[in-house]
């Protein structure tokens, strides 16, 4: 595709932000969306995220069999739901995984190019990528390793009902985002149980002496995301050594401290872009960046499109 937006890429696709009328009733409220097409078919891409999940929804109509690349920059744990049509995911180490309609699989994917084979017809997929916060809740050993074939589980009536709840027009803003989060988390936790995925012990204080301090640091960051938040500044404020803070935070929350700060800043920036008319420079200041250029560079790398594209949508 002639765009970096999305994890699925195909050859000779033309990219546009204009969504065809026949897809408009399927759009998920307040999702970032784009449309790609070529002589052999078309792909609708939708994306949204929160602190637990990054979600990609794809709806395709193929006039002929096509192979799409699945491009990942880092190792990812993903719950992949095939909601319509049979397809095959070709992965290094596993070979070809058959994706049956109305089923899901949970597995790890390596940072490599995988291939999704789509036969002629219509297809719909939901990819739920675990954020570090979600990753920290599950036992990694209970998820299929790259060389193992994950269990295939059929979606039940309640799963399908919750998935249909994503497509609605009755809510907006924070209320809708909260409901969408509840729908997806409900679906995911039920899927984890059905797939036999187990969870870590939740009492983190038991095995880390600085748990309370680290939790206070996390809360402070969330409340002061527009301020200077360097490791040195935080370490001095909470009277802890910088190295101890950096290593302890990763051990407790399974996420680098600088990544947590970046994620919060960019999530707030995306909301300001879509919900206000503030100039990009002011938004950069609101989320703790000193320059619009630096903010735009980080934002474009993270969301795979520049700030003004998100605002135009």
């Amino acid at each position: 595709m002639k765009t970096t937006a999305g994890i699925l890429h195909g050859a000779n696709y033309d990219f546009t932000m204009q969504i065809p009328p026949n897809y408009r009733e399927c759009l998920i409220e307040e999702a970032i969306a784009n449309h790609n097409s070529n002589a052999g078919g078309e792909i609708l891409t939708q994306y949204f995220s929160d602190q637990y999940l990054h979600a990609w929804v794809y709806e395709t109509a193929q006039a002929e069999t096509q192979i799409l690349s699945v491009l990942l920059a880092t190792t990812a744990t993903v719950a992949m739901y095939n909601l319509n049509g049979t397809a095959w995911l070709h992965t290094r180490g596993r070979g070809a995984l058959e994706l049956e309609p109305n089923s899901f699989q949970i597995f790890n994917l390596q940072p490599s190019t995988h291939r999704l084979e789509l036969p002629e017809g219509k297809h719909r997929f939901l990819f739920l990528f675990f954020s570090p916060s979600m990753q920290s809740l599950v036992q990694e050993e209970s998820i299929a390793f790259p060389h193992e074939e994950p269990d295939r589980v059929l979606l039940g009536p309640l799963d399908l009902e919750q998935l249909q709840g994503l497509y609605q027009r009755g809510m907006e803003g924070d209320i809708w985002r909260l409901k969408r989060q509840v729908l997806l988390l409900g679906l995911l936790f039920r899927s984890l149980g059905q797939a036999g995925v187990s969870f870590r012990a939740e009492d983190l204080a038991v095995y880390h002496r600085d748990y309370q301090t680290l939790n206070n640091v996390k809360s402070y960051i969330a409340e002061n995301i527009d301020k200077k938040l360097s490791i040195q500044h935080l370490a001095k404020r909470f009277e802890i050594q910088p190295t101890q803070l950096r290593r302890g935070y990763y051990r407790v929350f399974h996420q680098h401290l600088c990544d947590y700060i970046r994620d919060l800043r960019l999530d707030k920036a995306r909301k300001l872009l879509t919900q206000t008319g503030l100039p990009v420079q002011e938004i950069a200041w609101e989320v703790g960046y000193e320059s619009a250029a630096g903010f735009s560079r980080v934002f474009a790398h993270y969301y795979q499109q520049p700030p003004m594209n998100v605002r135009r949508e």
Side-chain angles (χ1 to χ4, degrees), residues 259-277:
D259 289 343
Y260 173 66
I261 295 171
R262 178 205 61 201
D263 290 354
L264 284 187
R265 283 178 167 162
L266 296 182
D267 184 63
K268 181 178 179 180
R270 183 179 61 81
K271 291 175 181 176
L272 291 173
L273 282 165
T274 57
Q275 298 171 20
T276 75

Side-chain angles (χ1 to χ4, degrees), residues 76-80 105-109 126-130 143:
T77 299
V78 57
M80 182 175 181
Q105 294 167 295
I106 300 174
F107 45 79
N108 287 309
L109 285 177
L126 168 63
F127 295 84
L128 295 183
F129 286 85
F130 292 23
I143 297 176

Side-chain angles (χ1 to χ4, degrees), residues 80-194:
M80 182 175 181
Y81 297 82
N82 184 19
L83 308 177
N84 189 57
T86 300
W88 287 266
L89 179 66
H90 299 269
T91 66
R92 187 175 59 187
R94 289 195 182 102
L97 294 178
E98 183 178 358
L99 308 174
E100 297 180 358
N102 292 328
S103 69
F104 71 88
Q105 294 167 295
I106 300 174
F107 45 79
N108 287 309
L109 285 177
Q110 296 301 298
S112 178
T113 299
H114 312 280
R115 295 176 296 121
L116 186 63
E117 181 181 347
L118 300 180
E120 176 185 345
K122 293 186 177 180
H123 304 270
R124 179 182 291 176
F125 301 95
L126 168 63
F127 295 84
L128 295 183
F129 286 85
F130 292 23
S131 72
S133 296
M134 178 59 69
Q135 189 76 42
S136 69
L137 299 179
V138 302
Q139 289 283 2
E140 295 180 6
E141 297 80 4
S142 62
I143 297 176
F145 287 100
H147 60 277
E148 300 173 337
E149 182 168 344
D151 293 332
R152 184 184 300 109
V153 184
L154 294 178
L155 292 167
L158 186 55
D159 301 321
L160 297 173
E161 180 181 340
Q162 286 202 299
L163 284 164
Q164 282 302 118
L166 291 173
Y167 297 87
Q168 60 86 49
R169 289 294 182 274
M171 298 180 183
E172 60 183 12
D174 289 339
I175 295 176
W176 164 236
R177 284 187 287 275
L178 178 60
K179 180 181 179 182
R180 185 174 65 192
Q181 183 183 66
V182 170
L183 287 170
L184 285 177
L185 286 177
L187 172 69
L188 179 61
F189 273 96
R190 192 163 52 255
S191 299
L192 291 172
Q194 292 171 329

Side-chain angles (χ1 to χ4, degrees), residues 208-225:
H208 202 288
R209 62 178 184 175
D210 295 322
Y211 173 75
Q212 191 57 56
T213 298
L214 296 168
N215 200 45
N216 291 340
V217 170
K218 188 174 185 179
S219 299
Y220 175 82
I221 292 170
E223 295 168 2
N224 298 274
I225 199 63

Side-chain angles (χ1 to χ4, degrees), residues 231-232 235-236 240-247:
I231 298 290
Q232 290 72 19
K236 182 177 180 180
I240 185 173
Q241 291 298 316
T243 301
Q244 187 179 350
L245 170 60
R246 185 167 53 248
R247 292 177 178 174

